[in-house]
Amino acid sequence: MLLPQSLWALVTLLWLSVPSVRAQTTPVSLSFNTPVTLTGRNFSTTSTPLLFSLPSPSSPEVTVSLALVFVSNSSSAQVVPGPTGGADVYEVILSGLGLGNFTFELQTGITGVLAVYGGSAADSLEIGVSQGTTPLHAPLADVPFFGDSTANEALLFSPPFLPPTPAPQPTYPNYTLPLANTSLPSPPATQNTPNFTLFLAPLSARLTALPQTACAVRAGVTNDPRAARSAQVLAEQLWLRDSQGWRREWLVGQLTPLTNYSVYAIQDGTRLSGPLYFTTKSGDVVLVPTRTRVALLPDHGYAVPLPVPPARALVYDATNLPDSLATPLLGYLTNFTTSLLTTACDCAGCQTAYRHWLCSISFPRCGEFPQTESTSKQGEQEQPLTVPLPALVSQPSGMTPRNAALGNVSDYTALLPCLETCQAVDRACPIFLGFRCPLPDFTASASYGVGYIDSADGDVQGGGIPGVAQDQWGNVLCNAS
Ligand SMILES: *[C@@H]1O[C@H](CO)[C@@H](O)[C@H](O)[C@H]1NC(C)=O
Ligand SMILES: *[C@@H]1O[C@H](CO)[C@@H](O)[C@H](O)[C@H]1NC(C)=O
Ligand SMILES: *[C@@H]1O[C@H](CO)[C@@H](O)[C@H](O)[C@H]1NC(C)=O
Ligand SMILES: *[C@@H]1O[C@H](CO)[C@@H](O)[C@H](O)[C@H]1NC(C)=O
Ligand SMILES: *[C@@H]1O[C@H](CO)[C@@H](O)[C@H](O)[C@H]1NC(C)=O
Ligand SMILES: *[C@@H]1O[C@H](CO)[C@@H](O)[C@H](O)[C@H]1NC(C)=O
Ligand SMILES: *[C@@H]1O[C@H](CO)[C@@H](O)[C@H](O)[C@H]1NC(C)=O
Ligand SMILES: *[C@@H]1O[C@H](CO)[C@@H](O)[C@H](O)[C@H]1NC(C)=O
Ligand SMILES: *[C@@H]1O[C@H](CO)[C@@H](O)[C@H](O)[C@H]1NC(C)=O
């Protein structure tokens, strides 16, 4: 039998001691969906395996997920599964990520047995049993999402877990649209939401070098002083960021400027999502960190060039946004909605796209020219592709701001909205409104990030066609929020 190179010390011991023994101990009972954690002290130094009895299933499909073991669904009570094999004895093979699973049939009335051999003080192992074919420790396909960062704060999101309830579409003859100052949908009930926990650490803590499992990452953050010292979740809530669905949102503080962080989210204690990378901004950008916080609008959450919110609030939201900013914005939206309703049209999508675009141009997003020297040197892995330059424009103080209501802000660098944010309005809205976006190969790049998302305009700016506004490695190319 060939074993992958990446198996832990546990396997080595396994092969040094090739026992076919009877268990000395009574098996520990496992329950479905409740993982059991083993640490160094639990592992046997003799050839005696640690034995576990599998729970009796209500359906015959049982999946064992964990790190390293032999399992048996044999009807013979005598069988202790082990390296010598035998009928109905299986080895659970670990992948390079440090995770293994095995699905088999367990007949009613038969007690399955799981045996763990060897192990050392440095090892740690988590075992979970579930019914059906999804292993309890199955990694999530989606990585967390990066909202934005300042020098020492970041807005991070879990992968989406629940699609939004579709808004009732206006139908003939009753065309109404949501008010300009829309009320946010109420979050789903707690029992319908998975439990997500955020783990992040600077690259120097090397979380990505650990086995990519929930238990290894959690232990890595908890036990590493570099990881544990930094980063604190200041606030969290459920947030419907976009049509992909509800996410858990975290506002994280106490970060170090100009540092590349790796981020994981763990669902229900066992399912790992990540890594996502992001880099904090430098401390010497005037507006960061002392004056900038993250503004939260329905689908917006990024660093804006505004003073610290009043009453020491952590962020701007509908309740503390200055009237000088909110009132004109709501005026535009109300007037736009009124024009829309002058004809009988199915225009909810148009209003949504317009709101999104209006917020993106009214609230400029702070960006920063990449400090390639300092950030890329910390990298452990190669950059996957040549990343185009982001759509950044310097905004010297004293220059007339794009949004006059912002007032006289200090120097900052703006990350321009993606042109596709404008084109979405053009596409969704009726022609009579006369909404027009600038042409990609002409004037657009003065006010928009051009050529990042749609390949059609890829020859203009950026030098690459990534097809996205931002990626998992922490590159943010234009503002799609
Ligand atoms: C592992 O060891 C701890 C501490 O010695 C003990 O409390 C726990 O019951 C052990 N777990 C198993 C599954 O043997
Ligand atoms: C054990 O599981 C295997 C794979 O699912 C199945 O083919 C076999 O019939 C099972 N044995 C018993 C005794 O249930
Ligand atoms: C379960 O194990 C099989 C191989 O036995 C592997 O192909 C599959 O990716 C594993 N699934 C998970 C979620 O680890
Ligand atoms: C029209 O639709 C709105 C919201 O969709 C609803 O509140 C209102 O009662 C409806 N009016 C009529 C006359 O059906
Ligand atoms: C969520 O998970 C954490 C860590 O696993 C746990 O401490 C907490 O009690 C859980 N919360 C709920 C509501 O299940
Ligand atoms: C918008 O709605 C929020 C909450 O419903 C409210 O606190 C705020 O004052 C409203 N803003 C304006 C400008 O009416
Ligand atoms: C909205 O329309 C009214 C009436 O036409 C006008 O007085 C007002 O200035 C408009 N508001 C904005 C923000 O354009
Ligand atoms: C952060 O580190 C990762 C892993 O080394 C690397 O791939 C990524 O490019 C870095 N991100 C930035 C923005 O430098
Ligand atoms: C804006 O602020 C800068 C520096 O704080 C100052 O030099 C400039 O005169 C101000 N401009 C206006 C129009 O107030």
Side-chain angles (χ1 to χ4, degrees):
M1 189 173 0
L2 273 179
L3 286 171
Q5 195 86 51
S6 55
L7 289 194
W8 300 352
L10 222 42
V11 166
T12 322
L13 287 172
L14 183 72
W15 288 101
L16 291 177
S17 53
V18 183
S20 172
V21 288
R22 291 196 148 225
Q24 308 288 307
T25 51
T26 326
V28 177
S29 300
L30 294 176
S31 317
F32 285 121
N33 306 322
T34 309
V36 165
T37 303
L38 301 177
T39 57
R41 273 172 304 172
N42 292 105
F43 295 117
S44 168
T45 49
T46 69
S47 56
T48 315
L50 273 172
L51 287 190
F52 298 87
S53 60
L54 303 183
S56 190
S58 58
S59 76
E61 216 113 270
V62 167
T63 301
V64 174
S65 76
L66 67 118
L68 162 328
V69 221
F70 291 90
V71 286
S72 157
N73 59 349
S74 169
S75 52
S76 160
Q78 307 301 314
V79 168
V80 172
T84 47
D88 294 321
V89 170
Y90 307 93
E91 185 186 0
V92 183
I93 306 272
L94 277 191
S95 76
L97 295 177
L99 189 75
N101 76 84
F102 191 81
T103 303
F104 63 16
E105 228 173 82
L106 195 57
Q107 283 163 19
T108 317
I110 295 179
T111 304
V113 180
L114 181 149
V116 179
Y117 288 83
S120 74
D123 291 321
S124 136
L125 183 66
E126 195 168 272
I127 305 170
V129 195
S130 58
Q131 297 196 69
T133 49
T134 307
L136 191 61
H137 292 83
L140 298 178
D142 291 334
V143 298
F145 184 84
F146 170 59
D148 200 1
S149 65
T150 64
N152 44 27
E153 286 175 358
L155 200 56
L156 298 164
F157 297 85
S158 75
F161 55 82
L162 187 71
T165 325
Q169 290 297 314
T171 48
Y172 180 82
N174 179 10
Y175 290 103
T176 50
L177 287 170
L179 297 173
N181 191 9
T182 181
S183 53
L184 296 168
S186 28
T190 335
Q191 65 265 28
N192 300 334
T193 63
N195 183 354
F196 273 105
T197 322
L198 177 74
F199 291 91
L200 76 160
L203 283 196
S204 57
R206 296 179 59 82
L207 292 186
T208 49
L210 297 171
Q212 295 297 284
T213 63
C215 92
V217 166
R218 182 169 42 231
V221 172
T222 317
N223 303 337
D224 187 322
R226 275 166 307 193
R229 193 181 338 118
S230 63
Q232 194 194 345
V233 173
L234 303 177
E236 62 178 294
Q237 63 182 347
L238 296 178
W239 197 254
L240 188 58
R241 216 196 137 262
D242 51 34
S243 59
Q244 289 187 296
W246 288 92
R247 300 166 183 264
R248 184 153 286 276
E249 179 200 64
W250 295 278
L251 177 65
V252 183
Q254 294 183 25
L255 303 174
T256 311
L258 273 184
T259 303
N260 188 339
Y261 282 85
S262 52
V263 181
Y264 295 86
I266 295 179
Q267 183 183 324
D268 298 325
T270 54
R271 303 190 64 183
L272 187 75
S273 160
L276 160 85
Y277 300 93
F278 75 89
T279 306
T280 45
K281 298 190 174 71
S282 73
D284 50 38
V285 170
V286 175
L287 290 157
V288 182
T290 51
R291 296 185 53 200
T292 305
R293 291 298 185 272
V294 178
L296 299 179
L297 292 157
D299 43 9
H300 291 66
Y302 48 78
V304 292
L306 282 175
V308 174
R312 296 210 211 139
L314 292 169
V315 295
Y316 281 105
D317 59 20
T319 59
N320 65 1
L321 199 62
D323 282 349
S324 57
L325 283 163
T327 309
L329 200 66
L330 291 175
Y332 289 127
L333 257 176
T334 305
N335 284 7
F336 184 80
T337 307
T338 309
S339 318
L340 263 187
L341 292 173
T342 55
T343 51
C345 71
D346 187 4
C347 289
C350 165
Q351 194 205 31
T352 306
Y354 180 80
R355 181 193 295 276
H356 186 81
W357 169 82
L358 184 64
C359 291
S360 298
I361 58 154
S362 305
F363 292 92
R365 174 165 170 172
C366 298
E368 195 165 74
F369 287 98
Q371 316 239 340
T372 36
E373 296 276 312
S374 49
T375 49
S376 61
K377 267 188 202 147
Q378 307 163 15
E380 304 151 7
Q381 295 156 14
E382 290 293 310
Q383 200 73 262
L385 291 166
T386 313
V387 181
L389 288 174
L392 293 165
V393 173
S394 296
Q395 305 285 311
S397 65
M399 191 173 141
T400 315
R402 275 152 202 277
N403 178 356
L406 283 176
N408 190 7
V409 297
S410 330
D411 283 352
Y412 73 102
T413 302
L415 180 75
L416 300 177
C418 308
L419 180 60
E420 290 75 9
T421 300
C422 181
Q423 291 169 337
V425 187
D426 203 346
R427 261 200 309 273
C429 290
I431 283 173
F432 78 85
L433 288 171
F435 188 93
R436 285 282 170 277
C437 299
L439 293 174
D441 48 1
F442 207 48
T443 49
S445 59
S447 3
Y448 291 99
V450 179
Y452 296 104
I453 301 182
D454 287 348
S455 52
D457 44 50
D459 54 348
V460 180
Q461 204 190 346
I465 311 166
V468 288
Q470 63 185 76
D471 66 19
Q472 180 186 357
W473 291 274
N475 303 297
V476 185
L477 303 171
C478 57
N479 184 19
S481 289

